[in-house]
Amino acid sequence: MRHLLSIADLGADELHRVLDLAEEFSEVQSRDVPKVPALRGRTVVLAFFEDSTRTRTSFDLAARRLSADVVNFSAGSSSLAKGESLRDTVETISAMGIDAIVVRHGSSGVPQQITSWTDAAVVNAGDGWHQHPTQALLDAFTIRRHFGDLDGRRIALCGDIQHSRVARSNIDAFTRLGAEVVLVAPRTLLPPDLEGWPVKVEPDLDAVLPDVDVAYFLRIQNERMGRGLLPSNREYRASYGLTVERAKQMRPDALIMHPGPMNRGVEVDPEVADDPRSVVLDQVTHGVPVRMAVLFSVLGPGQFDQEPPVDQETKARQEPQAGEEG
Ligand code: ASP
Ligand code: CP
């Protein structure tokens, strides 16, 4: 894998291999020194042109835990403010000698465009409504951890499908891993044409909840939608929110998921967000090893042909050498 721009960039085997690799890296996280030298000497730039808490922080941690050097590029305080173009910005950063650039941008297609302006590997951290592939990978990882695999699982994706890059990436990833995806949304928040989408549509959340393995709630993308698509948050919650009452219809072993940030009291009630079936914080935790797996896959030596990196140095630090003790 040269770049990760969308879930479609991953072949069938690669999708499984990234998740397996993330499993290996998640073991690294539990070590006293959660660091491996896999990307020592490599430089990763985090270029976020749109706000982020989880994705940016976890890419930063992921790169550092692989021993890469990390540069955080802040769009707001950069020379973009003086009118420099995106292309000149990328070419300028690239000229300093970087290996990977992780990009978030409000416009669909920007990460793809950046591949033609740099030799570095480009990883999409969310572009417009288009794709958020590492979110889908960490979500698939979370479901796989819980149920063993996604094959045959029934997953409801509920909420603002139309403006959601998470929905698009998750539909691709979940269905390719064998899950059945049901979309639950008001007509105004569904794409007008679902031709070719491998999904079912069900308008009634109450009809779906009792027999899903996963109920996945999407944030209302207020920053991306025109006015008048929703009557009010209160009415939205009444029909499409996971209220305390509705959550009672879900099976005890089902999962409640949300990519974050949550609008508590709109997509999910505050109590439900903290329900034992909610794995929202597990999703965040899994973001780090999954992003380690993605960075290693685009930058590691031999990429997928390589065995996961064994950290001799960390081991050496943990296991005193002969003659060092006493
Ligand atoms: N944080 C996710 C994204 O950037 C989901 C969201 O913001 O609703 O797409
Ligand atoms: N889920 C997600 O992408 O969160 P951030 O927008 O905080 O990065």
Side-chain angles (χ1 to χ4, degrees), residues 4-5 45-50 55 59 86 90 100-107 110-112 114-115 118 121-127 131-132:
L4 179 63
L5 305 175
V45 174
L46 307 180
F48 279 61
F49 300 91
E50 199 189 71
T55 312
F59 264 114
L86 180 63
V90 171
I101 178 161
V102 177
V103 182
R104 170 170 287 192
H105 200 283
S107 300
V110 166
Q112 166 80 55
I114 285 178
T115 61
T118 178
V122 179
V123 178
N124 183 359
D127 62 329
Q131 282 276 315
H132 193 349

Short mmCIF file of all heavy atoms in Angstrom, two decimals, residues 4-5 45-50 55 59 86 90 100-107 110-112 114-115 118 121-127 131-132:
data_model
loop_
_atom_site.label_atom_id
_atom_site.label_comp_id
_atom_site.label_asym_id
_atom_site.label_seq_id
_atom_site.Cartn_x
_atom_site.Cartn_y
_atom_site.Cartn_z
N LEU A 4 -2.99 5.66 1.76
CA LEU A 4 -4.32 5.20 2.20
C LEU A 4 -5.27 6.40 2.06
O LEU A 4 -5.29 7.29 2.91
CB LEU A 4 -4.33 4.67 3.64
CG LEU A 4 -5.72 4.22 4.11
CD1 LEU A 4 -6.24 3.04 3.28
CD2 LEU A 4 -5.72 3.84 5.59
N LEU A 5 -6.01 6.39 0.96
CA LEU A 5 -6.92 7.50 0.69
C LEU A 5 -8.37 7.12 0.96
O LEU A 5 -9.18 7.95 1.34
CB LEU A 5 -6.78 7.96 -0.77
CG LEU A 5 -5.36 8.32 -1.19
CD1 LEU A 5 -5.30 8.65 -2.68
CD2 LEU A 5 -4.84 9.50 -0.38
N VAL A 45 4.38 14.04 8.86
CA VAL A 45 3.79 15.37 9.06
C VAL A 45 2.28 15.22 9.24
O VAL A 45 1.63 14.50 8.47
CB VAL A 45 4.08 16.29 7.85
CG1 VAL A 45 3.34 17.63 8.00
CG2 VAL A 45 5.56 16.54 7.72
N LEU A 46 1.75 15.85 10.27
CA LEU A 46 0.30 15.85 10.48
C LEU A 46 -0.22 17.20 9.98
O LEU A 46 0.08 18.23 10.57
CB LEU A 46 -0.03 15.67 11.96
CG LEU A 46 0.63 14.47 12.64
CD1 LEU A 46 0.22 14.41 14.12
CD2 LEU A 46 0.26 13.16 11.94
N ALA A 47 -0.93 17.16 8.86
CA ALA A 47 -1.42 18.41 8.26
C ALA A 47 -2.93 18.44 8.35
O ALA A 47 -3.64 17.85 7.53
CB ALA A 47 -0.95 18.49 6.81
N PHE A 48 -3.42 19.08 9.39
CA PHE A 48 -4.87 19.13 9.63
C PHE A 48 -5.39 20.52 9.28
O PHE A 48 -5.07 21.50 9.95
CB PHE A 48 -5.18 18.75 11.09
CG PHE A 48 -5.18 17.26 11.31
CD1 PHE A 48 -4.05 16.50 11.07
CD2 PHE A 48 -6.34 16.61 11.71
CE1 PHE A 48 -4.05 15.12 11.23
CE2 PHE A 48 -6.36 15.23 11.88
CZ PHE A 48 -5.22 14.47 11.64
N PHE A 49 -6.19 20.57 8.22
CA PHE A 49 -6.78 21.83 7.77
C PHE A 49 -8.21 21.94 8.31
O PHE A 49 -8.96 22.82 7.92
CB PHE A 49 -6.79 21.88 6.24
CG PHE A 49 -5.41 21.79 5.64
CD1 PHE A 49 -4.88 20.56 5.29
CD2 PHE A 49 -4.64 22.92 5.45
CE1 PHE A 49 -3.61 20.46 4.74
CE2 PHE A 49 -3.37 22.84 4.91
CZ PHE A 49 -2.85 21.60 4.56
N GLU A 50 -8.58 20.99 9.16
CA GLU A 50 -9.91 20.99 9.78
C GLU A 50 -9.73 20.45 11.20
O GLU A 50 -8.81 19.66 11.45
CB GLU A 50 -10.82 20.05 8.98
CG GLU A 50 -12.29 20.27 9.20
CD GLU A 50 -13.12 19.16 8.54
OE1 GLU A 50 -13.11 18.02 9.03
OE2 GLU A 50 -13.77 19.46 7.54
N THR A 55 -8.38 12.01 16.05
CA THR A 55 -7.59 11.53 14.92
C THR A 55 -6.19 12.12 14.97
O THR A 55 -5.19 11.41 14.81
CB THR A 55 -8.28 11.91 13.59
OG1 THR A 55 -9.65 11.55 13.70
CG2 THR A 55 -7.66 11.21 12.41
N PHE A 59 -2.88 9.80 15.71
CA PHE A 59 -1.82 9.69 14.69
C PHE A 59 -0.48 10.14 15.27
O PHE A 59 0.57 9.56 15.00
CB PHE A 59 -2.14 10.52 13.45
CG PHE A 59 -2.80 9.74 12.34
CD1 PHE A 59 -4.10 10.01 11.96
CD2 PHE A 59 -2.11 8.73 11.67
CE1 PHE A 59 -4.72 9.28 10.94
CE2 PHE A 59 -2.71 8.00 10.66
CZ PHE A 59 -4.02 8.28 10.28
N LEU A 86 -2.55 25.89 -1.35
CA LEU A 86 -2.41 24.56 -0.76
C LEU A 86 -1.27 23.82 -1.45
O LEU A 86 -0.44 23.16 -0.80
CB LEU A 86 -3.73 23.79 -0.91
CG LEU A 86 -3.75 22.39 -0.34
CD1 LEU A 86 -3.55 22.39 1.18
CD2 LEU A 86 -5.08 21.70 -0.67
N VAL A 90 2.04 22.37 0.40
CA VAL A 90 2.42 20.95 0.41
C VAL A 90 3.82 20.79 -0.18
O VAL A 90 4.67 20.06 0.36
CB VAL A 90 1.38 20.11 -0.37
CG1 VAL A 90 1.88 18.68 -0.56
CG2 VAL A 90 0.05 20.12 0.37
N ALA A 100 5.89 10.78 5.21
CA ALA A 100 4.44 10.60 5.13
C ALA A 100 3.75 11.89 5.54
O ALA A 100 4.27 12.66 6.36
CB ALA A 100 3.98 9.47 6.05
N ILE A 101 2.60 12.11 4.94
CA ILE A 101 1.80 13.27 5.34
C ILE A 101 0.37 12.78 5.60
O ILE A 101 -0.22 12.10 4.76
CB ILE A 101 1.89 14.40 4.27
CG1 ILE A 101 1.02 15.60 4.65
CG2 ILE A 101 1.54 13.94 2.88
CD1 ILE A 101 1.42 16.88 3.90
N VAL A 102 -0.10 13.08 6.79
CA VAL A 102 -1.45 12.68 7.20
C VAL A 102 -2.31 13.92 7.04
O VAL A 102 -2.02 14.96 7.64
CB VAL A 102 -1.44 12.20 8.67
CG1 VAL A 102 -2.85 11.86 9.14
CG2 VAL A 102 -0.50 11.00 8.85
N VAL A 103 -3.35 13.82 6.22
CA VAL A 103 -4.09 15.02 5.83
C VAL A 103 -5.55 14.94 6.24
O VAL A 103 -6.24 13.95 5.95
CB VAL A 103 -4.07 15.20 4.29
CG1 VAL A 103 -4.80 16.47 3.88
CG2 VAL A 103 -2.66 15.22 3.77
N ARG A 104 -6.03 15.99 6.88
CA ARG A 104 -7.48 16.18 7.06
C ARG A 104 -7.84 17.49 6.38
O ARG A 104 -7.16 18.51 6.58
CB ARG A 104 -7.88 16.22 8.53
CG ARG A 104 -9.33 16.66 8.69
CD ARG A 104 -9.86 16.49 10.07
NE ARG A 104 -10.11 15.08 10.37
CZ ARG A 104 -10.79 14.66 11.43
NH1 ARG A 104 -11.29 15.54 12.29
NH2 ARG A 104 -10.98 13.37 11.66
N HIS A 105 -8.91 17.46 5.63
CA HIS A 105 -9.33 18.67 4.91
C HIS A 105 -10.85 18.67 4.74
O HIS A 105 -11.46 17.61 4.62
CB HIS A 105 -8.64 18.73 3.54
CG HIS A 105 -8.60 20.10 2.96
ND1 HIS A 105 -9.70 20.69 2.38
CD2 HIS A 105 -7.60 21.02 2.89
CE1 HIS A 105 -9.36 21.92 1.97
NE2 HIS A 105 -8.10 22.14 2.27
N GLY A 106 -11.41 19.85 4.73
CA GLY A 106 -12.86 19.98 4.59
C GLY A 106 -13.39 19.66 3.20
O GLY A 106 -14.59 19.51 3.01
N SER A 107 -12.50 19.56 2.21
CA SER A 107 -12.96 19.29 0.85
C SER A 107 -12.62 17.87 0.44
O SER A 107 -11.47 17.42 0.61
CB SER A 107 -12.31 20.24 -0.15
OG SER A 107 -12.65 21.56 0.17
N VAL A 110 -9.02 16.20 -1.52
CA VAL A 110 -7.74 16.89 -1.29
C VAL A 110 -6.58 15.91 -1.06
O VAL A 110 -5.51 16.05 -1.67
CB VAL A 110 -7.85 17.96 -0.18
CG1 VAL A 110 -6.48 18.43 0.29
CG2 VAL A 110 -8.66 19.14 -0.67
N PRO A 111 -6.76 14.87 -0.21
CA PRO A 111 -5.62 13.94 -0.02
C PRO A 111 -5.17 13.31 -1.35
O PRO A 111 -3.98 13.17 -1.61
CB PRO A 111 -6.18 12.89 0.94
CG PRO A 111 -7.26 13.60 1.69
CD PRO A 111 -7.88 14.53 0.69
N GLN A 112 -6.14 12.97 -2.18
CA GLN A 112 -5.81 12.39 -3.51
C GLN A 112 -4.99 13.40 -4.32
O GLN A 112 -3.97 13.06 -4.92
CB GLN A 112 -7.13 12.07 -4.23
CG GLN A 112 -7.01 11.80 -5.72
CD GLN A 112 -6.53 10.38 -5.99
OE1 GLN A 112 -7.15 9.43 -5.52
NE2 GLN A 112 -5.43 10.25 -6.70
N ILE A 114 -3.13 15.76 -3.23
CA ILE A 114 -1.81 15.96 -2.63
C ILE A 114 -0.82 14.89 -3.09
O ILE A 114 0.38 15.15 -3.18
CB ILE A 114 -1.96 16.03 -1.08
CG1 ILE A 114 -2.57 17.39 -0.71
CG2 ILE A 114 -0.62 15.81 -0.37
CD1 ILE A 114 -2.82 17.59 0.76
N THR A 115 -1.32 13.71 -3.44
CA THR A 115 -0.38 12.66 -3.91
C THR A 115 0.38 13.12 -5.15
O THR A 115 1.47 12.63 -5.42
CB THR A 115 -1.11 11.33 -4.25
OG1 THR A 115 -2.05 11.57 -5.30
CG2 THR A 115 -1.79 10.73 -3.04
N THR A 118 3.59 15.53 -3.95
CA THR A 118 4.64 15.08 -3.03
C THR A 118 5.01 13.63 -3.32
O THR A 118 4.17 12.88 -3.85
CB THR A 118 4.16 15.20 -1.56
OG1 THR A 118 5.18 14.71 -0.69
CG2 THR A 118 2.90 14.40 -1.28
N ALA A 121 4.22 9.37 1.32
CA ALA A 121 2.98 8.60 1.40
C ALA A 121 1.90 9.50 1.99
O ALA A 121 2.17 10.28 2.90
CB ALA A 121 3.19 7.39 2.31
N VAL A 122 0.71 9.43 1.44
CA VAL A 122 -0.39 10.28 1.92
C VAL A 122 -1.44 9.39 2.61
O VAL A 122 -1.87 8.38 2.06
CB VAL A 122 -1.04 11.06 0.76
CG1 VAL A 122 -2.19 11.92 1.27
CG2 VAL A 122 0.01 11.93 0.05
N VAL A 123 -1.81 9.80 3.81
CA VAL A 123 -2.84 9.08 4.55
C VAL A 123 -4.00 10.05 4.80
O VAL A 123 -3.79 11.16 5.31
CB VAL A 123 -2.30 8.53 5.90
CG1 VAL A 123 -3.41 7.84 6.68
CG2 VAL A 123 -1.14 7.56 5.65
N ASN A 124 -5.17 9.61 4.41
CA ASN A 124 -6.37 10.45 4.57
C ASN A 124 -6.91 10.36 6.00
O ASN A 124 -7.29 9.28 6.45
CB ASN A 124 -7.42 9.96 3.56
CG ASN A 124 -8.68 10.81 3.57
OD1 ASN A 124 -8.78 11.76 4.34
ND2 ASN A 124 -9.63 10.46 2.72
N ALA A 125 -6.95 11.49 6.66
CA ALA A 125 -7.49 11.54 8.04
C ALA A 125 -8.89 12.16 8.05
O ALA A 125 -9.34 12.66 9.07
CB ALA A 125 -6.55 12.33 8.93
N GLY A 126 -9.55 12.10 6.88
CA GLY A 126 -10.91 12.65 6.76
C GLY A 126 -10.94 13.77 5.74
O GLY A 126 -10.28 14.79 5.95
N ASP A 127 -11.68 13.56 4.63
CA ASP A 127 -11.80 14.62 3.62
C ASP A 127 -13.26 14.85 3.27
O ASP A 127 -13.94 13.99 2.71
CB ASP A 127 -10.96 14.32 2.36
CG ASP A 127 -11.37 13.06 1.60
OD1 ASP A 127 -11.85 12.10 2.25
OD2 ASP A 127 -11.23 13.03 0.37
N GLN A 131 -14.32 10.31 2.69
CA GLN A 131 -13.78 9.10 3.33
C GLN A 131 -13.07 9.46 4.63
O GLN A 131 -12.52 10.56 4.78
CB GLN A 131 -12.78 8.40 2.40
CG GLN A 131 -13.42 7.59 1.28
CD GLN A 131 -13.82 6.19 1.70
OE1 GLN A 131 -13.07 5.47 2.35
NE2 GLN A 131 -15.03 5.78 1.34
N HIS A 132 -13.07 8.51 5.54
CA HIS A 132 -12.29 8.61 6.79
C HIS A 132 -11.83 7.17 7.06
O HIS A 132 -12.32 6.49 7.97
CB HIS A 132 -13.20 9.13 7.90
CG HIS A 132 -12.50 9.57 9.15
ND1 HIS A 132 -11.15 9.32 9.39
CD2 HIS A 132 -12.96 10.24 10.24
CE1 HIS A 132 -10.83 9.82 10.58
NE2 HIS A 132 -11.90 10.39 11.11
#
